[in-house]
Amino acid sequence: TPPVLFSGVVNLTLTAIGGSCAASTSTKSLVVNPAPTASIAYPASSFCSSVQVVNASISGTTGGVFSSNPAGLSLNSSTGSFFPNSSLPGNYQITYTVTSGGCTSSATASITINSLPVVNCTSTGVITCQSSSASLTANAVASSGNTITSYLWSPSGATATSILVTSSNTYTVTVTQSNGCTASSCTTLTVDTCRPTVAATNNGPIT
């Protein structure tokens, strides 16, 4: 048997010697195929479910097949790319299996798809001739196991939960939770500048 780490052609010779008989020799050539190697990597181990695609880096023997466990991960079985925005949040193990020359090798990688926070932007009040400002509020809920860590309003740059605005615009608030995932909501505020129509009449001369 050739060494496990050896690959190439091996010539095996068997010589039989018995008493006064002439030696008999038989030679066989065996081809030992190199064992395939498999190694995969991803740019990180944790991803927000807003990410569109994550590509795999393959080292060693190419042409293998990717699979994942448990079910719920949107995965390209040929390239190893997966798609968080169309996958269920959770923990997954991705396995890369490659077969070459009758030998099989595999490698695994563990990844997590994180849920996003939920945010809704609401307005209170209308800017009119008599009211110079209106209030905008971000109602945010973090996903399980997380907390809301920050708010950022655009275009104002404010970082509070609620803000006062004095002009018509489309306002967007982006919230970030403790796992780094973000979500946004926007609202358009208009200014009611319609002035009432006043008509004056007289009912006769002053006497």
Side-chain angles (χ1 to χ4, degrees):
T1 302
V4 173
L5 298 180
F6 179 87
S7 63
V9 179
V10 179
N11 294 317
L12 300 179
T13 301
L14 175 64
T15 301
I17 301 175
S20 59
C21 298
S24 177
T25 301
S26 177
T27 301
K28 282 286 187 180
S29 294
L30 300 178
V31 177
V32 180
N33 295 313
T37 59
S39 177
I40 58 172
Y42 291 95
S45 60
S46 183
F47 304 89
C48 298
S49 59
S50 55
V51 175
Q52 292 187 349
V53 60
V54 179
N55 296 317
S57 296
I58 307 172
S59 300
T61 309
T62 59
V65 177
F66 289 85
S67 60
S68 62
N69 187 60
L73 182 68
S74 178
L75 175 71
N76 186 311
S77 61
S78 298
T79 66
S81 298
F82 64 90
F83 310 92
N85 64 345
S86 57
S87 301
L88 296 177
N91 300 315
Y92 298 94
Q93 180 172 279
I94 298 174
T95 301
Y96 175 65
T97 304
V98 60
T99 300
S100 177
C103 301
T104 300
S105 181
S106 63
T108 61
S110 297
I111 60 101
T112 299
I113 306 296
N114 296 307
S115 299
L116 303 180
V118 176
V119 59
N120 181 42
C121 179
T122 59
S123 62
T124 302
V126 177
I127 299 176
T128 65
C129 299
Q130 294 181 327
S131 177
S132 61
S133 65
S135 175
L136 302 180
T137 300
N139 303 297
V141 178
S143 63
S144 177
N146 292 280
T147 56
I148 301 297
T149 57
S150 67
Y151 297 81
L152 180 61
W153 291 88
S154 175
S156 71
T159 57
T161 305
S162 298
I163 61 172
L164 285 176
V165 295
T166 57
S167 60
S168 62
N169 209 330
T170 297
Y171 294 89
T172 300
V173 61
T174 300
V175 298
T176 303
Q177 64 184 19
S178 50
N179 66 4
C181 296
T182 63
S184 299
S185 177
C186 66
T187 186
T188 299
L189 188 68
T190 58
V191 177
D192 182 5
T193 57
C194 297
R195 299 178 181 273
T197 302
V198 177
T201 59
N202 67 75
N203 59 356
I206 298 175
T207 59

